Amino acid sequence: MTEDQIVGLLTSNIIYLLAAVLIVIVIFKGVKIVPQSEKFVVERFGRLHSVLGPGINFIVPFLDVARHQISILERQLPNATQDAITKDNVLVQIDTSVFYRILEPEKTVYRIRDVDGAIATTVAGIVRAEIGKMDLDEVQSNRSQLIARIQESVETAVDDWGIEVTRAEILDVNLDQATRDAMLQQLNAERARRAQVTEAEGQKRAVELQADAELYAAEQSAKARRIQADAEAYATGVVAKAIQDNGMEAAQYQVALKQVEALNALGNGSGSQTIVVPANALEAFGDAFKMLKGGK
């Protein structure tokens, strides 16, 4: 085929070639495949027209333009440090971290230019305001409550930007050296006070236990004396009744019994002993032994 024939063939089919190229361009411009993690903001003649979600989407070629491709994945702001003054006038440095994601790209694109900078500035102002409402001890002990209040305030502030704050964290609360030294002294004083209180309570408890022991001993001694007195009273009653029933013989028997018990006590004493007994006492002991044996 000569060159003239080729040129003639192309000239006769140029319309078909142009039509095919136009169809390819229309398909390329009119079909948009959006990834799962993104949304496309479409403009028509420079104005917001629609927002394309994940999957295959169709737009009008040459009229609609996917101007912005916005990621809807969760994002983390760089960790930031804010200076704040507590309610009791203590300067602290708060390290914060914020996580967020874009829910409505059409608001984010047309209402705010620097999303990260705007959120960081908002968080810094809210942190300072919330810290200023609390004493230092409350900041240290109620961190979870403080985080919840900061997150709630940030969410309210960024709601018009189509943004959701998923998490706000306070990573650390730093103090200057002078404040740390003062807190350490206070902590040591508090520990010393608690130790003294514990020691005093221990001594008090020991005194109470000692008093309880002495009271218990006194009660037991009194009980023993009462039992002994009851026994002696019973024995005396028995002797009195025996004397009443048997007359002088019962009395003589009791006297003889006491004499024998006294003699046994003297004989059982420790060491060598010399006992001087009157002459007439032997007769009394003899009579006592006879009475104990039942003799008359």
Side-chain angles (χ1 to χ4, degrees), residues 48-96:
L48 173 65
H49 176 65
S50 62
V51 177
L52 305 182
I56 186 169
N57 297 270
F58 299 95
I59 60 176
V60 178
F62 306 109
L63 298 181
D64 297 339
V65 179
R67 187 70 64 185
H68 305 281
Q69 300 180 10
I70 305 299
S71 173
I72 58 175
L73 294 177
E74 188 172 2
R75 309 180 188 185
Q76 178 184 5
L77 289 179
N79 295 343
T81 301
Q82 289 90 28
D83 292 334
I85 299 177
T86 62
K87 187 178 179 180
D88 50 353
N89 295 323
V90 177
L91 178 63
V92 295
Q93 289 183 337
I94 309 296
D95 294 337
T96 59

mmCIF file of all heavy atoms in Angstrom, residues 48-96:
data_model
loop_
_atom_site.group_PDB
_atom_site.id
_atom_site.type_symbol
_atom_site.label_atom_id
_atom_site.label_comp_id
_atom_site.label_asym_id
_atom_site.label_seq_id
_atom_site.Cartn_x
_atom_site.Cartn_y
_atom_site.Cartn_z
ATOM 1 N N LEU A 48 -20.085 23.514 44.808
ATOM 2 C CA LEU A 48 -20.261 22.172 45.332
ATOM 3 C C LEU A 48 -21.477 21.513 44.691
ATOM 4 O O LEU A 48 -22.578 22.066 44.694
ATOM 5 C CB LEU A 48 -20.446 22.224 46.862
ATOM 6 C CG LEU A 48 -20.807 20.899 47.546
ATOM 7 C CD1 LEU A 48 -19.663 19.891 47.423
ATOM 8 C CD2 LEU A 48 -21.150 21.128 49.011
ATOM 9 N N HIS A 49 -21.236 20.302 44.156
ATOM 10 C CA HIS A 49 -22.343 19.585 43.513
ATOM 11 C C HIS A 49 -22.705 18.321 44.294
ATOM 12 O O HIS A 49 -23.888 18.084 44.575
ATOM 13 C CB HIS A 49 -21.972 19.223 42.071
ATOM 14 C CG HIS A 49 -23.015 18.408 41.382
ATOM 15 N ND1 HIS A 49 -24.275 18.885 41.094
ATOM 16 C CD2 HIS A 49 -23.000 17.108 40.926
ATOM 17 C CE1 HIS A 49 -24.990 17.952 40.492
ATOM 18 N NE2 HIS A 49 -24.237 16.847 40.374
ATOM 19 N N SER A 50 -21.711 17.504 44.654
ATOM 20 C CA SER A 50 -22.010 16.260 45.357
ATOM 21 C C SER A 50 -20.729 15.731 46.011
ATOM 22 O O SER A 50 -19.631 16.235 45.769
ATOM 23 C CB SER A 50 -22.582 15.209 44.393
ATOM 24 O OG SER A 50 -21.617 14.893 43.399
ATOM 25 N N VAL A 51 -20.934 14.712 46.829
ATOM 26 C CA VAL A 51 -19.820 14.006 47.472
ATOM 27 C C VAL A 51 -19.921 12.540 47.088
ATOM 28 O O VAL A 51 -20.970 11.903 47.287
ATOM 29 C CB VAL A 51 -19.864 14.166 49.008
ATOM 30 C CG1 VAL A 51 -18.743 13.360 49.650
ATOM 31 C CG2 VAL A 51 -19.762 15.621 49.397
ATOM 32 N N LEU A 52 -18.853 12.007 46.509
ATOM 33 C CA LEU A 52 -18.843 10.624 46.045
ATOM 34 C C LEU A 52 -18.299 9.713 47.132
ATOM 35 O O LEU A 52 -17.229 9.961 47.700
ATOM 36 C CB LEU A 52 -17.988 10.495 44.786
ATOM 37 C CG LEU A 52 -18.358 11.418 43.615
ATOM 38 C CD1 LEU A 52 -17.455 11.150 42.417
ATOM 39 C CD2 LEU A 52 -19.834 11.251 43.225
ATOM 40 N N GLY A 53 -19.059 8.651 47.432
ATOM 41 C CA GLY A 53 -18.608 7.676 48.410
ATOM 42 C C GLY A 53 -17.809 6.565 47.775
ATOM 43 O O GLY A 53 -17.605 6.526 46.555
ATOM 44 N N PRO A 54 -17.314 5.613 48.588
ATOM 45 C CA PRO A 54 -16.498 4.512 48.061
ATOM 46 C C PRO A 54 -17.254 3.684 47.026
ATOM 47 O O PRO A 54 -18.464 3.471 47.132
ATOM 48 C CB PRO A 54 -16.179 3.690 49.318
ATOM 49 C CG PRO A 54 -16.334 4.646 50.464
ATOM 50 C CD PRO A 54 -17.432 5.572 50.056
ATOM 51 N N GLY A 55 -16.522 3.232 45.994
ATOM 52 C CA GLY A 55 -17.105 2.414 44.937
ATOM 53 C C GLY A 55 -17.079 3.131 43.599
ATOM 54 O O GLY A 55 -16.339 4.113 43.407
ATOM 55 N N ILE A 56 -17.884 2.650 42.647
ATOM 56 C CA ILE A 56 -17.940 3.240 41.313
ATOM 57 C C ILE A 56 -19.028 4.311 41.280
ATOM 58 O O ILE A 56 -20.138 4.116 41.788
ATOM 59 C CB ILE A 56 -18.192 2.165 40.243
ATOM 60 C CG1 ILE A 56 -18.109 2.775 38.841
ATOM 61 C CG2 ILE A 56 -19.507 1.436 40.470
ATOM 62 C CD1 ILE A 56 -18.077 1.716 37.744
ATOM 63 N N ASN A 57 -18.698 5.474 40.699
ATOM 64 C CA ASN A 57 -19.616 6.607 40.636
ATOM 65 C C ASN A 57 -19.568 7.197 39.226
ATOM 66 O O ASN A 57 -18.549 7.120 38.526
ATOM 67 C CB ASN A 57 -19.211 7.688 41.650
ATOM 68 C CG ASN A 57 -19.295 7.204 43.093
ATOM 69 O OD1 ASN A 57 -20.302 7.317 43.756
ATOM 70 N ND2 ASN A 57 -18.173 6.652 43.586
ATOM 71 N N PHE A 58 -20.690 7.807 38.828
ATOM 72 C CA PHE A 58 -20.779 8.416 37.503
ATOM 73 C C PHE A 58 -21.056 9.906 37.653
ATOM 74 O O PHE A 58 -21.918 10.316 38.453
ATOM 75 C CB PHE A 58 -21.900 7.757 36.671
ATOM 76 C CG PHE A 58 -21.684 6.295 36.443
ATOM 77 C CD1 PHE A 58 -22.269 5.358 37.284
ATOM 78 C CD2 PHE A 58 -20.891 5.858 35.391
ATOM 79 C CE1 PHE A 58 -22.073 4.006 37.066
ATOM 80 C CE2 PHE A 58 -20.691 4.499 35.177
ATOM 81 C CZ PHE A 58 -21.282 3.567 36.015
ATOM 82 N N ILE A 59 -20.335 10.702 36.880
ATOM 83 C CA ILE A 59 -20.526 12.148 36.870
ATOM 84 C C ILE A 59 -20.655 12.607 35.415
ATOM 85 O O ILE A 59 -20.410 11.835 34.482
ATOM 86 C CB ILE A 59 -19.361 12.885 37.555
ATOM 87 C CG1 ILE A 59 -18.041 12.591 36.829
ATOM 88 C CG2 ILE A 59 -19.257 12.494 39.036
ATOM 89 C CD1 ILE A 59 -16.843 13.373 37.402
ATOM 90 N N VAL A 60 -21.050 13.868 35.275
ATOM 91 C CA VAL A 60 -21.187 14.425 33.928
ATOM 92 C C VAL A 60 -19.816 14.901 33.459
ATOM 93 O O VAL A 60 -19.218 15.790 34.069
ATOM 94 C CB VAL A 60 -22.183 15.601 33.915
ATOM 95 C CG1 VAL A 60 -22.280 16.200 32.510
ATOM 96 C CG2 VAL A 60 -23.551 15.126 34.398
ATOM 97 N N PRO A 61 -19.296 14.305 32.376
ATOM 98 C CA PRO A 61 -17.969 14.713 31.909
ATOM 99 C C PRO A 61 -17.932 16.188 31.503
ATOM 100 O O PRO A 61 -18.911 16.739 30.998
ATOM 101 C CB PRO A 61 -17.726 13.805 30.700
ATOM 102 C CG PRO A 61 -18.682 12.667 30.864
ATOM 103 C CD PRO A 61 -19.878 13.237 31.574
ATOM 104 N N PHE A 62 -16.798 16.796 31.784
ATOM 105 C CA PHE A 62 -16.493 18.179 31.413
ATOM 106 C C PHE A 62 -17.292 19.199 32.227
ATOM 107 O O PHE A 62 -16.945 20.367 32.247
ATOM 108 C CB PHE A 62 -16.708 18.420 29.914
ATOM 109 C CG PHE A 62 -15.972 17.454 29.051
ATOM 110 C CD1 PHE A 62 -16.662 16.475 28.349
ATOM 111 C CD2 PHE A 62 -14.591 17.512 28.938
ATOM 112 C CE1 PHE A 62 -15.985 15.566 27.543
ATOM 113 C CE2 PHE A 62 -13.916 16.606 28.124
ATOM 114 C CZ PHE A 62 -14.606 15.632 27.432
ATOM 115 N N LEU A 63 -18.394 18.782 32.870
ATOM 116 C CA LEU A 63 -19.164 19.691 33.721
ATOM 117 C C LEU A 63 -18.823 19.483 35.207
ATOM 118 O O LEU A 63 -18.684 20.449 35.945
ATOM 119 C CB LEU A 63 -20.678 19.496 33.502
ATOM 120 C CG LEU A 63 -21.209 19.794 32.093
ATOM 121 C CD1 LEU A 63 -22.724 19.580 32.056
ATOM 122 C CD2 LEU A 63 -20.866 21.229 31.695
ATOM 123 N N ASP A 64 -18.708 18.215 35.594
ATOM 124 C CA ASP A 64 -18.395 17.884 36.978
ATOM 125 C C ASP A 64 -16.912 17.558 37.101
ATOM 126 O O ASP A 64 -16.342 16.842 36.256
ATOM 127 C CB ASP A 64 -19.220 16.695 37.461
ATOM 128 C CG ASP A 64 -20.717 17.005 37.447
ATOM 129 O OD1 ASP A 64 -21.060 18.208 37.461
ATOM 130 O OD2 ASP A 64 -21.528 16.054 37.437
ATOM 131 N N VAL A 65 -16.313 18.056 38.183
ATOM 132 C CA VAL A 65 -14.888 17.814 38.429
ATOM 133 C C VAL A 65 -14.714 17.359 39.871
ATOM 134 O O VAL A 65 -15.220 18.018 40.798
ATOM 135 C CB VAL A 65 -14.050 19.082 38.177
ATOM 136 C CG1 VAL A 65 -12.576 18.804 38.459
ATOM 137 C CG2 VAL A 65 -14.246 19.567 36.739
ATOM 138 N N ALA A 66 -14.004 16.233 40.061
ATOM 139 C CA ALA A 66 -13.677 15.764 41.420
ATOM 140 C C ALA A 66 -12.514 16.622 41.933
ATOM 141 O O ALA A 66 -11.347 16.299 41.745
ATOM 142 C CB ALA A 66 -13.320 14.282 41.392
ATOM 143 N N ARG A 67 -12.877 17.719 42.608
ATOM 144 C CA ARG A 67 -11.889 18.729 42.972
ATOM 145 C C ARG A 67 -11.044 18.311 44.185
ATOM 146 O O ARG A 67 -9.858 18.614 44.249
ATOM 147 C CB ARG A 67 -12.598 20.046 43.260
ATOM 148 C CG ARG A 67 -11.689 21.218 43.497
ATOM 149 C CD ARG A 67 -11.001 21.625 42.205
ATOM 150 N NE ARG A 67 -11.973 22.099 41.223
ATOM 151 C CZ ARG A 67 -11.663 22.427 39.966
ATOM 152 N NH1 ARG A 67 -10.402 22.300 39.546
ATOM 153 N NH2 ARG A 67 -12.605 22.865 39.137
ATOM 154 N N HIS A 68 -11.658 17.629 45.131
ATOM 155 C CA HIS A 68 -10.938 17.302 46.377
ATOM 156 C C HIS A 68 -11.097 15.816 46.680
ATOM 157 O O HIS A 68 -12.207 15.272 46.621
ATOM 158 C CB HIS A 68 -11.486 18.119 47.548
ATOM 159 C CG HIS A 68 -11.465 19.595 47.308
ATOM 160 N ND1 HIS A 68 -10.348 20.369 47.428
ATOM 161 C CD2 HIS A 68 -12.477 20.448 46.945
ATOM 162 C CE1 HIS A 68 -10.636 21.631 47.167
ATOM 163 N NE2 HIS A 68 -11.928 21.706 46.864
ATOM 164 N N GLN A 69 -10.000 15.194 47.030
ATOM 165 C CA GLN A 69 -9.990 13.807 47.470
ATOM 166 C C GLN A 69 -9.613 13.786 48.950
ATOM 167 O O GLN A 69 -8.470 14.065 49.321
ATOM 168 C CB GLN A 69 -9.011 12.975 46.646
ATOM 169 C CG GLN A 69 -9.339 12.962 45.152
ATOM 170 C CD GLN A 69 -8.343 12.132 44.354
ATOM 171 O OE1 GLN A 69 -7.515 11.418 44.921
ATOM 172 N NE2 GLN A 69 -8.432 12.212 43.039
ATOM 173 N N ILE A 70 -10.588 13.458 49.792
ATOM 174 C CA ILE A 70 -10.412 13.577 51.239
ATOM 175 C C ILE A 70 -10.336 12.185 51.873
ATOM 176 O O ILE A 70 -11.228 11.349 51.658
ATOM 177 C CB ILE A 70 -11.575 14.362 51.882
ATOM 178 C CG1 ILE A 70 -11.717 15.728 51.208
ATOM 179 C CG2 ILE A 70 -11.362 14.508 53.371
ATOM 180 C CD1 ILE A 70 -10.490 16.602 51.348
ATOM 181 N N SER A 71 -9.305 11.948 52.672
ATOM 182 C CA SER A 71 -9.180 10.691 53.412
ATOM 183 C C SER A 71 -10.091 10.736 54.635
ATOM 184 O O SER A 71 -10.123 11.733 55.371
ATOM 185 C CB SER A 71 -7.733 10.450 53.835
ATOM 186 O OG SER A 71 -7.633 9.318 54.676
ATOM 187 N N ILE A 72 -10.828 9.652 54.844
ATOM 188 C CA ILE A 72 -11.714 9.581 56.014
ATOM 189 C C ILE A 72 -11.124 8.693 57.108
ATOM 190 O O ILE A 72 -11.809 8.344 58.073
ATOM 191 C CB ILE A 72 -13.103 9.061 55.607
ATOM 192 C CG1 ILE A 72 -12.988 7.677 54.954
ATOM 193 C CG2 ILE A 72 -13.792 10.049 54.673
ATOM 194 C CD1 ILE A 72 -14.338 7.045 54.629
ATOM 195 N N LEU A 73 -9.868 8.337 56.991
ATOM 196 C CA LEU A 73 -9.218 7.559 58.034
ATOM 197 C C LEU A 73 -8.981 8.420 59.278
ATOM 198 O O LEU A 73 -8.907 9.650 59.208
ATOM 199 C CB LEU A 73 -7.866 7.025 57.530
ATOM 200 C CG LEU A 73 -7.915 6.001 56.386
ATOM 201 C CD1 LEU A 73 -6.500 5.635 55.966
ATOM 202 C CD2 LEU A 73 -8.694 4.759 56.801
ATOM 203 N N GLU A 74 -8.871 7.761 60.417
ATOM 204 C CA GLU A 74 -8.601 8.480 61.664
ATOM 205 C C GLU A 74 -7.186 9.048 61.622
ATOM 206 O O GLU A 74 -6.239 8.377 61.213
ATOM 207 C CB GLU A 74 -8.765 7.537 62.864
ATOM 208 C CG GLU A 74 -8.683 8.237 64.208
ATOM 209 C CD GLU A 74 -9.035 7.314 65.373
ATOM 210 O OE1 GLU A 74 -9.307 6.125 65.112
ATOM 211 O OE2 GLU A 74 -9.041 7.772 66.522
ATOM 212 N N ARG A 75 -7.053 10.266 62.099
ATOM 213 C CA ARG A 75 -5.761 10.953 62.073
ATOM 214 C C ARG A 75 -5.358 11.338 63.494
ATOM 215 O O ARG A 75 -6.199 11.502 64.360
ATOM 216 C CB ARG A 75 -5.839 12.215 61.215
ATOM 217 C CG ARG A 75 -6.420 12.005 59.836
ATOM 218 C CD ARG A 75 -6.451 13.295 59.060
ATOM 219 N NE ARG A 75 -7.183 13.151 57.802
ATOM 220 C CZ ARG A 75 -7.286 14.113 56.883
ATOM 221 N NH1 ARG A 75 -6.719 15.288 57.087
ATOM 222 N NH2 ARG A 75 -7.967 13.895 55.768
ATOM 223 N N GLN A 76 -4.068 11.478 63.680
ATOM 224 C CA GLN A 76 -3.542 11.911 64.978
ATOM 225 C C GLN A 76 -2.769 13.205 64.803
ATOM 226 O O GLN A 76 -1.880 13.315 63.950
ATOM 227 C CB GLN A 76 -2.624 10.853 65.580
ATOM 228 C CG GLN A 76 -2.016 11.273 66.922
ATOM 229 C CD GLN A 76 -1.025 10.257 67.460
ATOM 230 O OE1 GLN A 76 -0.699 9.272 66.800
ATOM 231 N NE2 GLN A 76 -0.527 10.496 68.662
ATOM 232 N N LEU A 77 -3.118 14.186 65.613
ATOM 233 C CA LEU A 77 -2.352 15.428 65.614
ATOM 234 C C LEU A 77 -1.004 15.194 66.280
ATOM 235 O O LEU A 77 -0.888 14.357 67.178
ATOM 236 C CB LEU A 77 -3.101 16.524 66.373
ATOM 237 C CG LEU A 77 -4.357 17.097 65.719
ATOM 238 C CD1 LEU A 77 -4.970 18.156 66.634
ATOM 239 C CD2 LEU A 77 -4.036 17.702 64.377
ATOM 240 N N PRO A 78 0.023 15.915 65.884
ATOM 241 C CA PRO A 78 1.306 15.812 66.595
ATOM 242 C C PRO A 78 1.126 16.179 68.069
ATOM 243 O O PRO A 78 0.346 17.069 68.418
ATOM 244 C CB PRO A 78 2.190 16.836 65.864
ATOM 245 C CG PRO A 78 1.555 17.004 64.515
ATOM 246 C CD PRO A 78 0.088 16.833 64.735
ATOM 247 N N ASN A 79 1.823 15.458 68.941
ATOM 248 C CA ASN A 79 1.747 15.755 70.369
ATOM 249 C C ASN A 79 2.155 17.201 70.633
ATOM 250 O O ASN A 79 3.143 17.694 70.083
ATOM 251 C CB ASN A 79 2.650 14.815 71.162
ATOM 252 C CG ASN A 79 2.195 13.368 71.065
ATOM 253 O OD1 ASN A 79 1.069 13.088 70.690
ATOM 254 N ND2 ASN A 79 3.079 12.445 71.408
ATOM 255 N N ALA A 80 1.368 17.874 71.441
ATOM 256 C CA ALA A 80 1.604 19.298 71.716
ATOM 257 C C ALA A 80 1.699 19.529 73.214
ATOM 258 O O ALA A 80 1.153 18.768 74.018
ATOM 259 C CB ALA A 80 0.474 20.140 71.122
ATOM 260 N N THR A 81 2.387 20.606 73.586
ATOM 261 C CA THR A 81 2.546 20.992 74.989
ATOM 262 C C THR A 81 1.974 22.382 75.183
ATOM 263 O O THR A 81 2.337 23.313 74.454
ATOM 264 C CB THR A 81 4.028 20.975 75.401
ATOM 265 O OG1 THR A 81 4.559 19.653 75.208
ATOM 266 C CG2 THR A 81 4.183 21.360 76.866
ATOM 267 N N GLN A 82 1.071 22.523 76.150
ATOM 268 C CA GLN A 82 0.464 23.825 76.454
ATOM 269 C C GLN A 82 0.779 24.221 77.895
ATOM 270 O O GLN A 82 0.717 23.385 78.796
ATOM 271 C CB GLN A 82 -1.062 23.779 76.284
ATOM 272 C CG GLN A 82 -1.524 23.689 74.852
ATOM 273 C CD GLN A 82 -1.659 22.258 74.383
ATOM 274 O OE1 GLN A 82 -1.915 21.373 75.178
ATOM 275 N NE2 GLN A 82 -1.477 22.031 73.103
ATOM 276 N N ASP A 83 1.117 25.485 78.063
ATOM 277 C CA ASP A 83 1.287 26.032 79.412
ATOM 278 C C ASP A 83 -0.072 26.470 79.932
ATOM 279 O O ASP A 83 -0.857 27.097 79.213
ATOM 280 C CB ASP A 83 2.250 27.220 79.395
ATOM 281 C CG ASP A 83 3.677 26.797 79.073
ATOM 282 O OD1 ASP A 83 4.014 25.636 79.334
ATOM 283 O OD2 ASP A 83 4.442 27.631 78.544
ATOM 284 N N ALA A 84 -0.341 26.138 81.184
ATOM 285 C CA ALA A 84 -1.613 26.506 81.794
ATOM 286 C C ALA A 84 -1.390 26.816 83.263
ATOM 287 O O ALA A 84 -0.419 26.355 83.873
ATOM 288 C CB ALA A 84 -2.637 25.392 81.631
ATOM 289 N N ILE A 85 -2.288 27.603 83.820
ATOM 290 C CA ILE A 85 -2.212 27.987 85.231
ATOM 291 C C ILE A 85 -3.454 27.439 85.933
ATOM 292 O O ILE A 85 -4.578 27.676 85.497
ATOM 293 C CB ILE A 85 -2.134 29.512 85.402
ATOM 294 C CG1 ILE A 85 -0.866 30.052 84.720
ATOM 295 C CG2 ILE A 85 -2.140 29.898 86.874
ATOM 296 C CD1 ILE A 85 -0.733 31.553 84.784
ATOM 297 N N THR A 86 -3.241 26.696 86.993
ATOM 298 C CA THR A 86 -4.344 26.088 87.725
ATOM 299 C C THR A 86 -5.070 27.132 88.570
ATOM 300 O O THR A 86 -4.649 28.292 88.679
ATOM 301 C CB THR A 86 -3.831 24.967 88.636
ATOM 302 O OG1 THR A 86 -2.927 25.525 89.603
ATOM 303 C CG2 THR A 86 -3.096 23.913 87.816
ATOM 304 N N LYS A 87 -6.172 26.697 89.168
ATOM 305 C CA LYS A 87 -6.976 27.586 89.991
ATOM 306 C C LYS A 87 -6.200 28.097 91.199
ATOM 307 O O LYS A 87 -6.422 29.224 91.650
ATOM 308 C CB LYS A 87 -8.237 26.838 90.443
ATOM 309 C CG LYS A 87 -9.246 27.695 91.180
ATOM 310 C CD LYS A 87 -10.475 26.875 91.526
ATOM 311 C CE LYS A 87 -11.502 27.696 92.286
ATOM 312 N NZ LYS A 87 -12.709 26.878 92.621
ATOM 313 N N ASP A 88 -5.259 27.294 91.716
ATOM 314 C CA ASP A 88 -4.444 27.722 92.852
ATOM 315 C C ASP A 88 -3.102 28.313 92.408
ATOM 316 O O ASP A 88 -2.112 28.266 93.144
ATOM 317 C CB ASP A 88 -4.215 26.567 93.816
ATOM 318 C CG ASP A 88 -3.727 25.303 93.101
ATOM 319 O OD1 ASP A 88 -3.708 25.298 91.855
ATOM 320 O OD2 ASP A 88 -3.366 24.337 93.780
ATOM 321 N N ASN A 89 -3.068 28.849 91.162
ATOM 322 C CA ASN A 89 -1.936 29.633 90.648
ATOM 323 C C ASN A 89 -0.641 28.824 90.564
ATOM 324 O O ASN A 89 0.438 29.283 90.971
ATOM 325 C CB ASN A 89 -1.709 30.879 91.512
ATOM 326 C CG ASN A 89 -2.858 31.854 91.454
ATOM 327 O OD1 ASN A 89 -3.472 32.041 90.396
ATOM 328 N ND2 ASN A 89 -3.193 32.464 92.585
ATOM 329 N N VAL A 90 -0.716 27.615 90.019
ATOM 330 C CA VAL A 90 0.468 26.793 89.772
ATOM 331 C C VAL A 90 0.622 26.638 88.260
ATOM 332 O O VAL A 90 -0.323 26.272 87.567
ATOM 333 C CB VAL A 90 0.336 25.416 90.442
ATOM 334 C CG1 VAL A 90 1.552 24.549 90.117
ATOM 335 C CG2 VAL A 90 0.192 25.570 91.951
ATOM 336 N N LEU A 91 1.826 26.936 87.766
ATOM 337 C CA LEU A 91 2.101 26.811 86.338
ATOM 338 C C LEU A 91 2.415 25.355 86.000
ATOM 339 O O LEU A 91 3.298 24.747 86.590
ATOM 340 C CB LEU A 91 3.274 27.701 85.936
ATOM 341 C CG LEU A 91 3.699 27.646 84.468
ATOM 342 C CD1 LEU A 91 2.582 28.130 83.563
ATOM 343 C CD2 LEU A 91 4.970 28.467 84.247
ATOM 344 N N VAL A 92 1.668 24.809 85.050
ATOM 345 C CA VAL A 92 1.876 23.420 84.631
ATOM 346 C C VAL A 92 2.012 23.373 83.115
ATOM 347 O O VAL A 92 1.542 24.258 82.398
ATOM 348 C CB VAL A 92 0.710 22.520 85.083
ATOM 349 C CG1 VAL A 92 0.640 22.426 86.593
ATOM 350 C CG2 VAL A 92 -0.618 23.017 84.527
ATOM 351 N N GLN A 93 2.656 22.329 82.645
ATOM 352 C CA GLN A 93 2.774 22.066 81.221
ATOM 353 C C GLN A 93 2.020 20.769 80.913
ATOM 354 O O GLN A 93 2.329 19.725 81.489
ATOM 355 C CB GLN A 93 4.236 21.944 80.805
ATOM 356 C CG GLN A 93 4.988 23.269 80.829
ATOM 357 C CD GLN A 93 6.417 23.117 80.334
ATOM 358 O OE1 GLN A 93 6.988 22.033 80.367
ATOM 359 N NE2 GLN A 93 6.992 24.209 79.867
ATOM 360 N N ILE A 94 1.062 20.869 80.004
ATOM 361 C CA ILE A 94 0.193 19.738 79.678
ATOM 362 C C ILE A 94 0.569 19.212 78.299
ATOM 363 O O ILE A 94 0.532 19.953 77.313
ATOM 364 C CB ILE A 94 -1.287 20.151 79.704
ATOM 365 C CG1 ILE A 94 -1.631 20.873 81.009
ATOM 366 C CG2 ILE A 94 -2.174 18.935 79.505
ATOM 367 C CD1 ILE A 94 -1.488 20.031 82.227
ATOM 368 N N ASP A 95 0.923 17.928 78.236
ATOM 369 C CA ASP A 95 1.189 17.260 76.964
ATOM 370 C C ASP A 95 -0.097 16.571 76.507
ATOM 371 O O ASP A 95 -0.652 15.732 77.230
ATOM 372 C CB ASP A 95 2.305 16.224 77.116
ATOM 373 C CG ASP A 95 3.643 16.870 77.436
ATOM 374 O OD1 ASP A 95 3.809 18.062 77.128
ATOM 375 O OD2 ASP A 95 4.513 16.177 77.999
ATOM 376 N N THR A 96 -0.568 16.945 75.308
ATOM 377 C CA THR A 96 -1.844 16.420 74.817
ATOM 378 C C THR A 96 -1.665 15.707 73.482
ATOM 379 O O THR A 96 -0.724 15.970 72.733
ATOM 380 C CB THR A 96 -2.870 17.551 74.639
ATOM 381 O OG1 THR A 96 -2.340 18.520 73.707
ATOM 382 C CG2 THR A 96 -3.156 18.230 75.966
#
